[in-house]
Amino acid sequence: MNALVLLEDVTKVYGSQPALDGVSLAIEPGESVAVMGPSGSGKSTLLNLIAGLDLATAGTVRLDDQDVGRLNETRRARLRRRSVGLVFQFFNLLDNLSALDNIAVAAELAGAGRADSVRRADELLDRLGLADKRSAFPSRLSGGERQRVAVARAIVNDPPLLLADEPTGALDSHSGEQVLDLLRELNRGGRTLILVTHDQRLAEACAERHVHLADGRLTADRRLDRAVAL
């Protein structure tokens, strides 16, 4: 089986400081991986490189058999819309759009027609227990509801990979549990999950594999049934 995500000796330098330093990592389809480490260790940089939001200074990043560094900005955006769902700590919803339209617009940007986009958005809102919130604007939603809308937006185009950057960091414990349950369900359904978190409990609840970064270097890669120090 080919890796869905493959990093080979990847370095990313900002100014004179490497945010990532010679990182190699392979993630297979269907895996659940938690990326952990202190602030400034390179976790979010790793996610940005995988998603093609940024480009490596050296090394190779491959996503879904595509060399991300060889794609222009338009082709990277097309790959991202097809292959990646992004979930952020602070939701990143559009305040002037309803819950339904926040989801539907992602499908429209990927080329779906308006009617199909609305149908997909309605199905996801119903699945996530938010059917009665379809017309609500983000300011009228709780934190947990906003994050569930954000997850729905991330998966509306059925991408194989879900990237979540501290997805429960801005939520209370109850809302956080709801989002955890959703991430676990999506992974059990076959979607690959890469989760950036400071929270050991969240990592243990959602991920079968824990990758640790420190000072931009990969320092450990542990699975539930074994641990490999690097």
Side-chain angles (χ1 to χ4, degrees), residues 82-104:
R82 183 186 76 234
S83 299
V84 181
L86 292 162
V87 182
F88 303 95
Q89 179 175 354
F90 294 107
F91 323 126
N92 286 14
L93 298 178
L94 298 171
D95 291 336
N96 61 330
L97 295 183
S98 66
L100 181 138
D101 283 332
N102 261 285
I103 301 165

Side-chain angles (χ1 to χ4, degrees), residues 29-89:
E31 281 199 278
S32 55
V33 181
V35 180
M36 307 185 71
S39 296
S41 60
K43 302 186 301 297
S44 293
T45 297
L46 180 68
L47 245 58
N48 288 339
L49 294 180
I50 292 171
L53 294 169
D54 205 348
L55 294 176
T57 305
T60 303
V61 178
R62 296 187 67 84
L63 170 62
D64 208 6
D65 286 330
Q66 296 284 312
D67 185 338
V68 175
R70 292 183 177 272
L71 303 179
N72 62 29
E73 188 172 346
T74 299
R75 292 176 66 196
R76 289 200 311 274
R78 190 177 300 129
L79 174 64
R80 187 163 51 248
R81 288 171 189 153
R82 183 186 76 234
S83 299
V84 181
L86 292 162
V87 182
F88 303 95
Q89 179 175 354

Side-chain angles (χ1 to χ4, degrees), residues 106-175:
E108 291 180 80
L109 285 171
R114 175 64 181 172
D116 189 38
S117 299
V118 169
R119 178 187 59 77
R120 291 192 219 171
D122 265 328
E123 286 175 354
L124 286 169
L125 285 168
D126 185 57
R127 176 181 168 191
L128 300 181
L130 294 171
D132 62 335
K133 304 292 184 180
R134 68 189 306 274
S135 300
F137 289 87
S139 63
R140 306 298 296 176
L141 299 174
S142 69
E145 290 168 343
R146 278 178 280 173
Q147 191 60 294
R148 279 184 282 160
V149 170
V151 172
R153 178 187 58 190
I155 64 174
V156 70
N157 296 315
D158 199 25
L161 176 63
L162 186 61
L163 302 178
D165 195 351
E166 298 285 2
T168 64
L171 303 179
D172 60 41
S173 58
H174 176 68
S175 297

Side-chain angles (χ1 to χ4, degrees), residues 34-37 200 210-214 217-222 230:
V35 180
M36 307 185 71
Q200 182 70 35
H210 297 177
V211 170
H212 290 256
L213 293 172
R217 290 181 173 273
L218 191 61
T219 58
D221 188 346
R222 301 186 177 95
L230 301 177

Side-chain angles (χ1 to χ4, degrees), residues 16 48 69 84 99-100 155 176 185 199 206 210 216 225 228:
S16 60
N48 288 339
V84 181
L100 181 138
I155 64 174
E185 178 189 342
D199 186 343
C206 281
H210 297 177
D225 58 344
V228 180

